[in-house]
Structure formats: structure tokens, C-alpha cells
Amino acid sequence: MEFGTRIFIAFLVCQVVCTGAQEKEEKAECVPGFQEKEFQVEYSGGFLKDVPLLQVVFDDCAGNEGVEFEVSNPNFLIDENLNLVPRKDVIDSGDVMFVHGVNVNVDDMAQVTIMGAPSRSPQTLREMLGLSDLMPYRSKRSLLVPPMFVPENQRAPFPRSIGKVISSDMKEDHIFRLTGRGADQDPKGVFSINRLTGEVAVSRALDREAIAYYHLQVSTTDLSGKLVEGPVDLDVSVIDQNDNRPIFKEPRYSGEVLEGSPTGTTVMTMTAYDADDPNTDNAVLRYIIVRQQPDKPSPNMFYIDPERGDIVTVISPHQLDRETLPTTQYELEIVAKDMAGSEVGLTGTATATITITDRNDHAPEFTHSVFQASVNEGSTGVVVNLTVDDRDDPATGAWRAIYSIINGDPNQNFEIQTNLDNNEGMLSVVKPLDYESAKFHTLLIKVENEDPLVPDVVYGHSSTATVYITVMDVNEGPVFFPDPLGVIRRENIPVGSFVAMLNATDPDYLQSQSIRFAVLSDPADWLIANPFKGNVTTRAILDRESPYVQNNQYTALFIATDNGNPPATGTGTLIITLEDENDNAPYVFPSVARVCEDAKDINVVVIGGQDNDIHPNTDPFKIELGKQPGLEKTWKISRINDTHSQIMLLHSLKKANYNLPLVLTDSGVPPISNNTELKVQVCTCKKNRMDCSRAASVQTNLLLLLGLVLLSMLCL
């Protein structure tokens, strides 16, 4: 049963008694109970043991025999002189307590308000009962259950009394019962109640950070276990003690600040937490810097906001120079202290590492104003490495160099790239140099950074350098001109005919050197070159239809060698375009045709002509029957187009193989004819199947056939 409920019951009892007392007052002028219902006491940090706070006046109008007093706060009692006195030194008294007086004649309640004390419970009886809007009072409650408070981390002995529950209707056969979390629910056995007196005790030390609040229920039952009253809520709050140190989220923190940053620049924020009650100073943290390593140029380069944990710069921007500081990393030892930083506060420690980052406040400078290099003419590759100094942080855009050629390279013979490993500029020749054209080259090179410079820094004279390149003469091979050399010749020209004149010059014109020519590659072995004059003649017939000729062109390679020391060579290409001559007879395709012996269709096959020559020495083709007499009686040829004709059979033939003589003529000048034959197989045809097996074994010559035809005609 709740403490407030018990007060409410007592209050109703008081109303009943007081009503009866008013009737007696009219007769005896005596009001039973407390003669003053409300008292006030000033709180001045606590109350000393056995020192009276006040004196109550109680009269039951019958001599006060058997009056018993109970105080809602178990740390106080009413002594024999009716004084309210502490049982012990009390600091946490709460801001209100109630004094219950009862005997057979009266049951009354008085309220004591502690002015200025920390709040523990509602200030008035009606607020405590939560009945400010409920009128009139209709229920009676005899259980008075005050809220209770237990400091965490108490030491033995246990159990320890923490308060008392009061019942105005307690009978001899009634007992108190305590239930809920911490009593009969896990964690079980933390709290217990005296079954007869209602005194509540704690059995062991509590940890507020584990459980800060216990919600229990108190009820009264008879000896058989039957519920008499309740349950009433009993709230037990665990009072925090400063038993947890501040803990940083990370043991080490890292931050960066740009060199030259203004004073007051925020670098990073340190954050710690404290598991104690956040509503008390036990969890109020303050931050300080206890050590800076190294401590140069000042031991106080940084400041931490004691409440927020923000680390800011204190050093001036001029001193915050990465290139002049003894190190680029500073290590700070940060301490967080609870109790708002008081001397008794607990502490936690973490380390903050601050890196001074670079900005591009130093321009790169060449280590020399002049660089020299030499290179062989005709070669490519790196000729010189240009070195620079840059005081900014390596491997950053403020340090990495970008080189450019700003003068002396009109033909783009040179290129410069950055070596990513050492930041050097690698100057290379990408187009071969010619000693005879220019013996020396002078280049002007500029170096810059990837990142732009800060506004107050510019690139100076040291950011440019001059490079002198000396070209070394080497014996260069002869050069053919033109290359390739193209000529047009007819095929089949006589052996020994002139084909071309090779022309090669020596680039080393300052030297007097002779040149010799030779054939390097001649796939068809058709050519020969004069070693001194370079004229090329035929040593075999040129054939356009040769497999070595592609697209009417024949390719040969020649080599020219000078007499330098050592000799140098050059190669040239000769491409001969061959004109066609009508030197190939046409031929017919297909060469075999098949027909059924009882064929109703007189069309035997469509044949075409082909020629290895090219136009105009090919089609249109003329396809005719051979000159043998009588062929026209059995066969007929009809022209379809310039390349194809239709072979027709004028009457059926016996199953056999026949060789039809044909004459095929191209359109060349002069034309070429080819006497050829078309093999015609006359086969047996049944159900769309053609059987030519027996026909293949019968070889009947068309001449014999023609003779038989003529003999039959004479007989007629």
C-alpha cells in the first residue's frame, strides 16, 4: 500500500473524528488530535542527532493514555516530551514528513515542511495523494508508504533499515508483505520488510549505475495469506555517489591544423563520459591540458575549453610554421575531472596527437640555374634529371613539382615529366635530333607545384633553369627517297628490262661517303640491282597472275650501305604495279552437268566463263559448240549475259556419259580461245532420285553418237 494512500486514510479518519469532536466542542470545547496541523522547520544543511526540531501538541480529550506516534521518515521520532528529534545525524531529510498519532480515542496526522530542503516527496498531502481534483474523499486507506532513499556502495553490516511502512489498521493477525523487483523478483532479496513492524531494510550494497530505481509494492495480509489492504507502491531511489571516473570515448585522438592558422582555430574536440548521475556534480566534467610534448616553441601552444572539450590554437600564426617548428606532431595529455573539476573529483586521461599540416608557402627552386647534357643524334630517351628543393611537406601537392618547357623547343623534340619518387624533372628526347641540322639546343624550364601558392608567396627566378643540350654526331644510314618508290610495268616484259632507279642519300653530308645497293627481299626472285648505280632490272618474267602479286602489285625491299666506320644501312621499298596482258585462256565452269534420260526439261545446265586475266582481257565471253559436225542436232547454246550461257538438249539421250566439245573465247586483243569439253551425265531418275552409277561406266563418245546419227540418215 502506498504511503500516500495511508496518509489519505488517516486524513479521512481525521475528518470523521474531527466531525465528532466538533459536536463535543459545543459541549466540552475539546478538539481531539493534533492541536496544530502544520509545522515548518528551516533546513540548514542537515539535522543533528537528538537535537529537537519542534514540539507537537496532541490531546485526545481523554488524558492521552496509550497514544503512539509514528513519523513517515524513519530517521525521526516523537520523544516523551512530544519533541520531533532525529534518531541520528540526518542530511537528506526530504522536504516534507508526516507525524501520525493514534490511540483508542483518536487517529490524527500532522505535516512538517522542511523549508529549503532538497525535494523528496510532494509538498502537501493532497499533492502526495494526487487527489487535488478529487472531492470529496470517499475511500479509506490505512497504509502509509513513504518514498525511500538508499545511498549506493554502503558498507556492511547488513541489513540496514531504510524506512518504515505504517498501517493504522494493523491487527495482531495481520502481517506486512513486500513484492516486486528487488524483493521476490530478480534481483531477489535486495529489500525485505519486517512482517510485524513494517520496517524496510536493504540487504546488500547497491550500484546506482546498474539499477537506479526500484518499484516495489507493500500490502498487508492475514496469517492465511488473504489480502487485507494494498498493494501500495513503494519507490526506492538509489542515491548516487561519485564512484565512476570519467572515460574518454577513445584512448587516443588525432587532429590536424593548417600551418599559419589564426589564433583560436579549433583543432578537435575531446569527449569523455561519466556513468554517475548526470543530474549531480558527480558527472559534471571539466577538461584541462596537463602536458604538451614537445614544449617548444611554447609550452602553451594549445588551449582546451574546460566545459566543451574543444582544443584551439593559442600560438600566433607566424609561429605556427611547419617548416620552422621542431616537429610536425604535438602530443597533448588531456585530463577530464568530474565534480566540476574540484579537487576531490575523479579523473580520466587521454592523448591528443595534433599534426601541423602543410600549406604551399614555399615555391620550388632549382638546385642549379644551369644544367647540361649531351645526346646522340637519332636517339630518344631521358637525357638529364633536373633537381629542385621544396621545403613543403613531401608527397603533398604543395611539394610535388610540375615541369614545363617555356622556350627553345619549337619542334616539340623534348618532353619533361616528374619522377614521382624523388620529384626530379626527367628531360627526354621524344623526336630524334639531327646533328647536321642543329648541333646545340638551349631550353628554358619552369617548375611549379600542383597546389597553388599562398597569396603572399610567388614563383621567383630560382623557379626557372636553363638546359644546354649538345647533339653528338653518329654515322647515320642512307635514306631512300622516295620511300616507297612506285613504278608501273607491264607483265611479261623481256628479261633484263629496266624497272626502276633507286635513289638514296647519306644524312652525314659533312662526310664524303659512298653508297652501295643490294636486294634485301625479292619473293619471286624477279629483280636485280646494280650495286653502284642503283638501277633495277628484271632477271625473270614478271607475271601479274603470280601468287606473290597482291592487287596487281609486287613489293621488293632494297638495302643501301655506306662506307662509314662502322658502316650504316638504310632500307627502301619498291612497289611495282603490273599491267595485265591477255596471256591466260578462259575456262568453263562447272565442268560436269547431269540430266535425266527421260527429262522433259531441255535445259541441261547454265555454264559460265572465267579468266585469270583482268578487264578488258576477260568478258564478255563467247561460248560455242565445238566444230564437230552434227552437234547442233542434239545440243543448243543460248547466251544469257556476258559471262554465262544456257546448254539445252534438243532430244532425250540414253543413259550414258557424254563429252560435249565447247569453244570459249575472251575479249582480249588479240582474243584467246580455249577448246574444252563439258561432261554431261545422263542418269536414271525415279521418284526425285537420280541414279548415275551405271552411266559412269558407259563412256560413249559424242563422235560415235554423231556417226550413228549420220548413218541412219543415209539409210533413209
Side-chain angles (χ1 to χ4, degrees), residues 490-526:
R490 293 190 69 82
E491 64 174 335
N492 302 323
I493 60 176
V495 174
S497 298
F498 174 78
V499 176
M501 177 64 72
L502 301 177
N503 181 29
T505 59
D506 193 336
D508 302 309
Y509 60 85
L510 298 181
Q511 305 176 25
S512 179
Q513 298 183 147
S514 61
I515 298 176
R516 293 175 62 88
F517 297 93
V519 177
L520 180 62
S521 175
D522 181 14
D525 201 20
W526 288 342

mmCIF file of all heavy atoms in Angstrom, residues 490-526:
data_model
loop_
_atom_site.group_PDB
_atom_site.id
_atom_site.type_symbol
_atom_site.label_atom_id
_atom_site.label_comp_id
_atom_site.label_asym_id
_atom_site.label_seq_id
_atom_site.Cartn_x
_atom_site.Cartn_y
_atom_site.Cartn_z
ATOM 1 N N ARG A 490 54.470 -3.435 -117.459
ATOM 2 C CA ARG A 490 53.624 -4.499 -117.995
ATOM 3 C C ARG A 490 54.236 -5.837 -117.638
ATOM 4 O O ARG A 490 55.459 -5.991 -117.562
ATOM 5 C CB ARG A 490 53.485 -4.373 -119.506
ATOM 6 C CG ARG A 490 52.715 -3.126 -119.947
ATOM 7 C CD ARG A 490 52.392 -3.195 -121.437
ATOM 8 N NE ARG A 490 51.413 -4.235 -121.723
ATOM 9 C CZ ARG A 490 50.090 -4.094 -121.576
ATOM 10 N NH1 ARG A 490 49.600 -2.950 -121.138
ATOM 11 N NH2 ARG A 490 49.278 -5.098 -121.875
ATOM 12 N N GLU A 491 53.364 -6.799 -117.443
ATOM 13 C CA GLU A 491 53.872 -8.141 -117.200
ATOM 14 C C GLU A 491 54.460 -8.707 -118.501
ATOM 15 O O GLU A 491 54.199 -8.203 -119.595
ATOM 16 C CB GLU A 491 52.758 -9.054 -116.682
ATOM 17 C CG GLU A 491 51.616 -9.318 -117.643
ATOM 18 C CD GLU A 491 50.617 -10.335 -117.127
ATOM 19 O OE1 GLU A 491 50.998 -11.167 -116.288
ATOM 20 O OE2 GLU A 491 49.435 -10.304 -117.558
ATOM 21 N N ASN A 492 55.274 -9.705 -118.327
ATOM 22 C CA ASN A 492 55.875 -10.433 -119.457
ATOM 23 C C ASN A 492 56.905 -9.613 -120.232
ATOM 24 O O ASN A 492 57.218 -9.935 -121.379
ATOM 25 C CB ASN A 492 54.795 -10.945 -120.429
ATOM 26 C CG ASN A 492 53.794 -11.859 -119.748
ATOM 27 O OD1 ASN A 492 54.157 -12.648 -118.885
ATOM 28 N ND2 ASN A 492 52.525 -11.759 -120.137
ATOM 29 N N ILE A 493 57.412 -8.506 -119.622
ATOM 30 C CA ILE A 493 58.469 -7.775 -120.332
ATOM 31 C C ILE A 493 59.715 -8.644 -120.359
ATOM 32 O O ILE A 493 59.904 -9.509 -119.489
ATOM 33 C CB ILE A 493 58.741 -6.418 -119.667
ATOM 34 C CG1 ILE A 493 59.194 -6.597 -118.211
ATOM 35 C CG2 ILE A 493 57.518 -5.519 -119.730
ATOM 36 C CD1 ILE A 493 59.582 -5.299 -117.529
ATOM 37 N N PRO A 494 60.596 -8.409 -121.342
ATOM 38 C CA PRO A 494 61.766 -9.291 -121.512
ATOM 39 C C PRO A 494 62.693 -9.236 -120.307
ATOM 40 O O PRO A 494 62.763 -8.244 -119.574
ATOM 41 C CB PRO A 494 62.449 -8.744 -122.763
ATOM 42 C CG PRO A 494 61.389 -7.981 -123.481
ATOM 43 C CD PRO A 494 60.483 -7.411 -122.440
ATOM 44 N N VAL A 495 63.411 -10.305 -120.080
ATOM 45 C CA VAL A 495 64.424 -10.356 -119.028
ATOM 46 C C VAL A 495 65.488 -9.309 -119.334
ATOM 47 O O VAL A 495 65.919 -9.150 -120.481
ATOM 48 C CB VAL A 495 65.041 -11.759 -118.936
ATOM 49 C CG1 VAL A 495 66.197 -11.768 -117.948
ATOM 50 C CG2 VAL A 495 63.983 -12.778 -118.538
ATOM 51 N N GLY A 496 65.911 -8.605 -118.289
ATOM 52 C CA GLY A 496 66.892 -7.550 -118.441
ATOM 53 C C GLY A 496 66.296 -6.182 -118.657
ATOM 54 O O GLY A 496 67.027 -5.200 -118.793
ATOM 55 N N SER A 497 64.962 -6.112 -118.681
ATOM 56 C CA SER A 497 64.302 -4.818 -118.873
ATOM 57 C C SER A 497 64.504 -3.932 -117.642
ATOM 58 O O SER A 497 64.560 -4.397 -116.497
ATOM 59 C CB SER A 497 62.812 -5.030 -119.131
ATOM 60 O OG SER A 497 62.594 -5.773 -120.314
ATOM 61 N N PHE A 498 64.569 -2.637 -117.852
ATOM 62 C CA PHE A 498 64.708 -1.659 -116.772
ATOM 63 C C PHE A 498 63.396 -1.539 -116.017
ATOM 64 O O PHE A 498 62.327 -1.444 -116.613
ATOM 65 C CB PHE A 498 65.108 -0.302 -117.349
ATOM 66 C CG PHE A 498 65.135 0.800 -116.330
ATOM 67 C CD1 PHE A 498 66.200 0.936 -115.449
ATOM 68 C CD2 PHE A 498 64.060 1.695 -116.228
ATOM 69 C CE1 PHE A 498 66.217 1.957 -114.511
ATOM 70 C CE2 PHE A 498 64.075 2.712 -115.286
ATOM 71 C CZ PHE A 498 65.162 2.832 -114.422
ATOM 72 N N VAL A 499 63.507 -1.541 -114.702
ATOM 73 C CA VAL A 499 62.324 -1.434 -113.857
ATOM 74 C C VAL A 499 62.290 -0.102 -113.115
ATOM 75 O O VAL A 499 61.297 0.621 -113.149
ATOM 76 C CB VAL A 499 62.260 -2.598 -112.851
ATOM 77 C CG1 VAL A 499 61.065 -2.437 -111.910
ATOM 78 C CG2 VAL A 499 62.164 -3.931 -113.578
ATOM 79 N N ALA A 500 63.397 0.257 -112.419
ATOM 80 C CA ALA A 500 63.390 1.481 -111.607
ATOM 81 C C ALA A 500 64.822 1.895 -111.305
ATOM 82 O O ALA A 500 65.761 1.104 -111.448
ATOM 83 C CB ALA A 500 62.614 1.269 -110.307
ATOM 84 N N MET A 501 64.960 3.148 -110.822
ATOM 85 C CA MET A 501 66.254 3.672 -110.385
ATOM 86 C C MET A 501 66.126 4.025 -108.905
ATOM 87 O O MET A 501 65.316 4.876 -108.512
ATOM 88 C CB MET A 501 66.642 4.910 -111.190
ATOM 89 C CG MET A 501 67.959 5.546 -110.735
ATOM 90 S SD MET A 501 69.391 4.451 -110.974
ATOM 91 C CE MET A 501 69.542 4.508 -112.752
ATOM 92 N N LEU A 502 66.937 3.330 -108.081
ATOM 93 C CA LEU A 502 66.925 3.599 -106.642
ATOM 94 C C LEU A 502 67.695 4.867 -106.349
ATOM 95 O O LEU A 502 68.748 5.131 -106.936
ATOM 96 C CB LEU A 502 67.535 2.419 -105.881
ATOM 97 C CG LEU A 502 66.855 1.060 -106.080
ATOM 98 C CD1 LEU A 502 67.623 -0.029 -105.327
ATOM 99 C CD2 LEU A 502 65.405 1.101 -105.623
ATOM 100 N N ASN A 503 67.181 5.640 -105.382
ATOM 101 C CA ASN A 503 67.827 6.900 -105.007
ATOM 102 C C ASN A 503 67.951 6.939 -103.485
ATOM 103 O O ASN A 503 66.949 6.887 -102.773
ATOM 104 C CB ASN A 503 67.025 8.097 -105.515
ATOM 105 C CG ASN A 503 67.693 9.419 -105.170
ATOM 106 O OD1 ASN A 503 68.907 9.487 -105.053
ATOM 107 N ND2 ASN A 503 66.889 10.464 -105.019
ATOM 108 N N ALA A 504 69.186 7.011 -102.983
ATOM 109 C CA ALA A 504 69.428 7.100 -101.534
ATOM 110 C C ALA A 504 70.495 8.132 -101.272
ATOM 111 O O ALA A 504 71.456 8.259 -102.043
ATOM 112 C CB ALA A 504 69.837 5.754 -100.965
ATOM 113 N N THR A 505 70.323 8.885 -100.174
ATOM 114 C CA THR A 505 71.287 9.909 -99.792
ATOM 115 C C THR A 505 71.793 9.616 -98.391
ATOM 116 O O THR A 505 71.104 8.989 -97.575
ATOM 117 C CB THR A 505 70.655 11.302 -99.828
ATOM 118 O OG1 THR A 505 69.541 11.343 -98.928
ATOM 119 C CG2 THR A 505 70.165 11.637 -101.232
ATOM 120 N N ASP A 506 73.013 10.123 -98.088
ATOM 121 C CA ASP A 506 73.609 9.939 -96.762
ATOM 122 C C ASP A 506 73.368 11.201 -95.944
ATOM 123 O O ASP A 506 73.772 12.300 -96.347
ATOM 124 C CB ASP A 506 75.107 9.669 -96.905
ATOM 125 C CG ASP A 506 75.716 9.157 -95.602
ATOM 126 O OD1 ASP A 506 75.134 9.435 -94.529
ATOM 127 O OD2 ASP A 506 76.750 8.478 -95.654
ATOM 128 N N PRO A 507 72.645 11.092 -94.781
ATOM 129 C CA PRO A 507 72.411 12.289 -93.961
ATOM 130 C C PRO A 507 73.706 12.953 -93.493
ATOM 131 O O PRO A 507 73.708 14.161 -93.182
ATOM 132 C CB PRO A 507 71.604 11.756 -92.779
ATOM 133 C CG PRO A 507 70.998 10.488 -93.254
ATOM 134 C CD PRO A 507 72.008 9.907 -94.211
ATOM 135 N N ASP A 508 74.776 12.176 -93.393
ATOM 136 C CA ASP A 508 76.055 12.752 -92.962
ATOM 137 C C ASP A 508 76.708 13.460 -94.146
ATOM 138 O O ASP A 508 77.750 13.049 -94.659
ATOM 139 C CB ASP A 508 76.964 11.636 -92.430
ATOM 140 C CG ASP A 508 76.322 10.887 -91.273
ATOM 141 O OD1 ASP A 508 75.867 11.548 -90.327
ATOM 142 O OD2 ASP A 508 76.246 9.641 -91.343
ATOM 143 N N TYR A 509 76.074 14.538 -94.538
ATOM 144 C CA TYR A 509 76.569 15.221 -95.735
ATOM 145 C C TYR A 509 77.885 15.942 -95.475
ATOM 146 O O TYR A 509 78.577 16.342 -96.405
ATOM 147 C CB TYR A 509 75.520 16.187 -96.276
ATOM 148 C CG TYR A 509 75.107 17.277 -95.313
ATOM 149 C CD1 TYR A 509 75.840 18.457 -95.211
ATOM 150 C CD2 TYR A 509 73.976 17.118 -94.525
ATOM 151 C CE1 TYR A 509 75.449 19.444 -94.331
ATOM 152 C CE2 TYR A 509 73.589 18.104 -93.645
ATOM 153 C CZ TYR A 509 74.326 19.279 -93.553
ATOM 154 O OH TYR A 509 73.953 20.263 -92.686
ATOM 155 N N LEU A 510 78.225 16.109 -94.216
ATOM 156 C CA LEU A 510 79.524 16.721 -93.932
ATOM 157 C C LEU A 510 80.658 15.730 -94.141
ATOM 158 O O LEU A 510 81.830 16.117 -94.151
ATOM 159 C CB LEU A 510 79.544 17.251 -92.494
ATOM 160 C CG LEU A 510 78.508 18.350 -92.176
ATOM 161 C CD1 LEU A 510 78.644 18.797 -90.724
ATOM 162 C CD2 LEU A 510 78.694 19.544 -93.108
ATOM 163 N N GLN A 511 80.317 14.480 -94.269
ATOM 164 C CA GLN A 511 81.312 13.445 -94.553
ATOM 165 C C GLN A 511 81.129 12.959 -95.989
ATOM 166 O O GLN A 511 80.012 12.920 -96.499
ATOM 167 C CB GLN A 511 81.160 12.260 -93.593
ATOM 168 C CG GLN A 511 81.218 12.647 -92.115
ATOM 169 C CD GLN A 511 80.961 11.451 -91.212
ATOM 170 O OE1 GLN A 511 81.195 10.316 -91.623
ATOM 171 N NE2 GLN A 511 80.505 11.724 -90.001
ATOM 172 N N SER A 512 82.210 12.615 -96.642
ATOM 173 C CA SER A 512 82.144 12.116 -98.023
ATOM 174 C C SER A 512 82.136 10.597 -97.980
ATOM 175 O O SER A 512 83.167 9.955 -97.778
ATOM 176 C CB SER A 512 83.344 12.631 -98.843
ATOM 177 O OG SER A 512 83.294 12.136 -100.160
ATOM 178 N N GLN A 513 80.931 10.016 -98.159
ATOM 179 C CA GLN A 513 80.774 8.568 -98.064
ATOM 180 C C GLN A 513 80.054 8.051 -99.304
ATOM 181 O O GLN A 513 79.198 8.735 -99.883
ATOM 182 C CB GLN A 513 79.982 8.182 -96.799
ATOM 183 C CG GLN A 513 80.666 8.579 -95.512
ATOM 184 C CD GLN A 513 79.913 8.138 -94.269
ATOM 185 O OE1 GLN A 513 80.503 7.829 -93.273
ATOM 186 N NE2 GLN A 513 78.599 8.109 -94.339
ATOM 187 N N SER A 514 80.445 6.833 -99.746
ATOM 188 C CA SER A 514 79.816 6.197 -100.899
ATOM 189 C C SER A 514 78.728 5.253 -100.425
ATOM 190 O O SER A 514 78.705 4.828 -99.273
ATOM 191 C CB SER A 514 80.855 5.421 -101.718
ATOM 192 O OG SER A 514 81.448 4.400 -100.914
ATOM 193 N N ILE A 515 77.809 4.911 -101.374
ATOM 194 C CA ILE A 515 76.657 4.070 -101.046
ATOM 195 C C ILE A 515 76.615 2.906 -102.022
ATOM 196 O O ILE A 515 76.828 3.065 -103.232
ATOM 197 C CB ILE A 515 75.350 4.881 -101.119
ATOM 198 C CG1 ILE A 515 75.361 6.024 -100.094
ATOM 199 C CG2 ILE A 515 74.145 3.982 -100.895
ATOM 200 C CD1 ILE A 515 74.158 6.923 -100.179
ATOM 201 N N ARG A 516 76.311 1.694 -101.512
ATOM 202 C CA ARG A 516 76.133 0.504 -102.324
ATOM 203 C C ARG A 516 74.721 -0.023 -102.100
ATOM 204 O O ARG A 516 74.199 0.018 -100.985
ATOM 205 C CB ARG A 516 77.157 -0.581 -101.952
ATOM 206 C CG ARG A 516 78.598 -0.205 -102.289
ATOM 207 C CD ARG A 516 79.564 -1.275 -101.769
ATOM 208 N NE ARG A 516 79.324 -2.576 -102.396
ATOM 209 C CZ ARG A 516 79.900 -2.959 -103.537
ATOM 210 N NH1 ARG A 516 80.748 -2.152 -104.162
ATOM 211 N NH2 ARG A 516 79.648 -4.148 -104.058
ATOM 212 N N PHE A 517 74.145 -0.540 -103.215
ATOM 213 C CA PHE A 517 72.775 -1.039 -103.170
ATOM 214 C C PHE A 517 72.768 -2.551 -103.295
ATOM 215 O O PHE A 517 73.630 -3.146 -103.939
ATOM 216 C CB PHE A 517 71.936 -0.439 -104.313
ATOM 217 C CG PHE A 517 71.796 1.054 -104.241
ATOM 218 C CD1 PHE A 517 72.686 1.885 -104.931
ATOM 219 C CD2 PHE A 517 70.793 1.631 -103.486
ATOM 220 C CE1 PHE A 517 72.555 3.263 -104.875
ATOM 221 C CE2 PHE A 517 70.667 3.018 -103.428
ATOM 222 C CZ PHE A 517 71.547 3.842 -104.113
ATOM 223 N N ALA A 518 71.757 -3.179 -102.754
ATOM 224 C CA ALA A 518 71.590 -4.628 -102.862
ATOM 225 C C ALA A 518 70.128 -4.961 -102.625
ATOM 226 O O ALA A 518 69.376 -4.194 -101.997
ATOM 227 C CB ALA A 518 72.470 -5.358 -101.857
ATOM 228 N N VAL A 519 69.707 -6.130 -103.182
ATOM 229 C CA VAL A 519 68.344 -6.605 -102.966
ATOM 230 C C VAL A 519 68.262 -7.211 -101.567
ATOM 231 O O VAL A 519 69.061 -8.066 -101.196
ATOM 232 C CB VAL A 519 67.946 -7.646 -104.027
ATOM 233 C CG1 VAL A 519 66.543 -8.181 -103.745
ATOM 234 C CG2 VAL A 519 68.011 -7.034 -105.424
ATOM 235 N N LEU A 520 67.270 -6.784 -100.786
ATOM 236 C CA LEU A 520 67.068 -7.311 -99.435
ATOM 237 C C LEU A 520 65.965 -8.369 -99.418
ATOM 238 O O LEU A 520 66.090 -9.399 -98.775
ATOM 239 C CB LEU A 520 66.713 -6.178 -98.465
ATOM 240 C CG LEU A 520 66.479 -6.574 -97.008
ATOM 241 C CD1 LEU A 520 67.743 -7.181 -96.412
ATOM 242 C CD2 LEU A 520 66.023 -5.365 -96.180
ATOM 243 N N SER A 521 64.894 -8.114 -100.169
ATOM 244 C CA SER A 521 63.776 -9.067 -100.220
ATOM 245 C C SER A 521 63.156 -9.021 -101.606
ATOM 246 O O SER A 521 62.689 -7.963 -102.049
ATOM 247 C CB SER A 521 62.727 -8.722 -99.149
ATOM 248 O OG SER A 521 61.602 -9.555 -99.274
ATOM 249 N N ASP A 522 63.153 -10.183 -102.305
ATOM 250 C CA ASP A 522 62.570 -10.319 -103.642
ATOM 251 C C ASP A 522 61.862 -11.671 -103.676
ATOM 252 O O ASP A 522 62.442 -12.674 -104.098
ATOM 253 C CB ASP A 522 63.678 -10.230 -104.696
ATOM 254 C CG ASP A 522 63.147 -10.336 -106.119
ATOM 255 O OD1 ASP A 522 61.919 -10.204 -106.299
ATOM 256 O OD2 ASP A 522 63.960 -10.550 -107.035
ATOM 257 N N PRO A 523 60.605 -11.757 -103.218
ATOM 258 C CA PRO A 523 59.939 -13.046 -103.019
ATOM 259 C C PRO A 523 59.909 -13.937 -104.262
ATOM 260 O O PRO A 523 60.076 -15.154 -104.153
ATOM 261 C CB PRO A 523 58.534 -12.641 -102.575
ATOM 262 C CG PRO A 523 58.674 -11.270 -102.018
ATOM 263 C CD PRO A 523 59.748 -10.614 -102.808
ATOM 264 N N ALA A 524 59.679 -13.335 -105.441
ATOM 265 C CA ALA A 524 59.593 -14.145 -106.664
ATOM 266 C C ALA A 524 60.934 -14.269 -107.385
ATOM 267 O O ALA A 524 61.012 -14.939 -108.423
ATOM 268 C CB ALA A 524 58.548 -13.545 -107.600
ATOM 269 N N ASP A 525 61.972 -13.631 -106.843
ATOM 270 C CA ASP A 525 63.303 -13.673 -107.449
ATOM 271 C C ASP A 525 63.270 -13.163 -108.890
ATOM 272 O O ASP A 525 63.816 -13.771 -109.813
ATOM 273 C CB ASP A 525 63.871 -15.098 -107.409
ATOM 274 C CG ASP A 525 65.400 -15.108 -107.546
ATOM 275 O OD1 ASP A 525 66.016 -14.048 -107.289
ATOM 276 O OD2 ASP A 525 65.953 -16.154 -107.904
ATOM 277 N N TRP A 526 62.625 -11.991 -109.072
ATOM 278 C CA TRP A 526 62.468 -11.414 -110.406
ATOM 279 C C TRP A 526 63.475 -10.297 -110.692
ATOM 280 O O TRP A 526 63.658 -9.913 -111.842
ATOM 281 C CB TRP A 526 61.059 -10.813 -110.563
ATOM 282 C CG TRP A 526 59.955 -11.829 -110.679
ATOM 283 C CD1 TRP A 526 60.082 -13.131 -110.989
ATOM 284 C CD2 TRP A 526 58.560 -11.582 -110.507
ATOM 285 N NE1 TRP A 526 58.879 -13.750 -111.029
ATOM 286 C CE2 TRP A 526 57.890 -12.814 -110.732
ATOM 287 C CE3 TRP A 526 57.797 -10.463 -110.200
ATOM 288 C CZ2 TRP A 526 56.509 -12.947 -110.654
ATOM 289 C CZ3 TRP A 526 56.412 -10.587 -110.138
ATOM 290 C CH2 TRP A 526 55.764 -11.831 -110.336
#
